[in-house]
Amino acid sequence: EPRLSAGDMAPTWSGVNLVDGQTVTFPAVLHGKPAVLVFWATWCPYCKAFMPYAGKIQREYADRGVQIVTFNAMERGEGDPKAYVKSLKFPLIAIAEADDIAVQYGVKFIPGLMVVDGNGTVTYRRGWTDLPPGKKVAEHWADEVRQALDEIVRQ
């Protein structure tokens, strides 16, 4: 069972971006810059709570080349991932049908949430939470992500 932790090299992958239909490959997509990785599904209340914060982080770190790379995983045919991504209204990559990538990354619970540096090394992975879905847990995760990014972009 893979379980990526801080210090591990994130596995390579390629997938189709729901936003523009282009093929994306990792780690090439990083262009040597950090990224926030989010595994999500349309039905997941924790994911819905966090996504607006991912948008804020994207705006705050855009000038440092930080991207939000997301993976539609565990969707189970329930929603319309492409429509959901369009509704978010911030620049992101959204990899379609990413169940296999979730398995490679050891993501069993969504949102899977990680930060990688420009080389593709994991520097942060969210821990377990017993907070209910909503603003409080989303802000907690967003603060952790910002701390992780600040440690990399300062270097």
Side-chain angles (χ1 to χ4, degrees):
E1 269 305 282
R3 159 97 195 157
L4 284 187
S5 309
D8 292 343
M9 185 57 92
T12 59
W13 49 263
S14 97
V16 176
N17 188 359
L18 283 164
V19 178
D20 59 11
Q22 298 293 308
T23 298
V24 179
T25 57
F26 180 91
V29 67
L30 297 174
H31 303 292
K33 305 285 189 189
V36 181
L37 310 183
V38 187
F39 291 80
W40 61 277
T42 58
W43 53 263
C44 163
Y46 284 95
C47 305
K48 283 186 183 141
F50 181 73
M51 279 302 200
Y53 290 90
K56 286 181 188 171
I57 290 166
Q58 196 283 324
R59 287 191 295 277
E60 289 163 20
Y61 291 88
D63 61 339
R64 287 172 259 182
V66 173
Q67 298 181 86
I68 310 293
V69 181
T70 75
F71 305 86
N72 181 226
M74 306 179 206
E75 184 60 46
R76 307 176 194 140
E78 298 208 14
D80 182 341
K82 193 169 181 178
Y84 177 71
V85 168
K86 281 204 169 117
S87 78
L88 291 171
K89 305 268 196 286
F90 67 87
L92 77 162
I93 291 166
I95 302 301
E97 296 173 11
D99 287 4
D100 291 351
I101 300 172
V103 170
Q104 272 185 284
Y105 279 58
V107 172
K108 288 199 187 70
F109 303 99
I110 49 177
L113 184 56
M114 296 173 217
V115 172
V116 293
D117 68 13
N119 302 316
T121 301
V122 177
T123 67
Y124 161 82
R125 178 175 185 147
R126 81 163 176 88
W128 180 252
T129 183
D130 52 11
L131 288 168
K135 188 175 178 189
K136 195 170 177 182
V137 70
E139 286 181 345
H140 171 69
W141 288 337
D143 287 345
E144 290 187 342
V145 166
R146 287 185 181 102
Q147 282 172 2
L149 287 171
D150 287 345
E151 281 169 30
I152 313 169
V153 295
R154 268 207 304 268
Q155 288 168 6

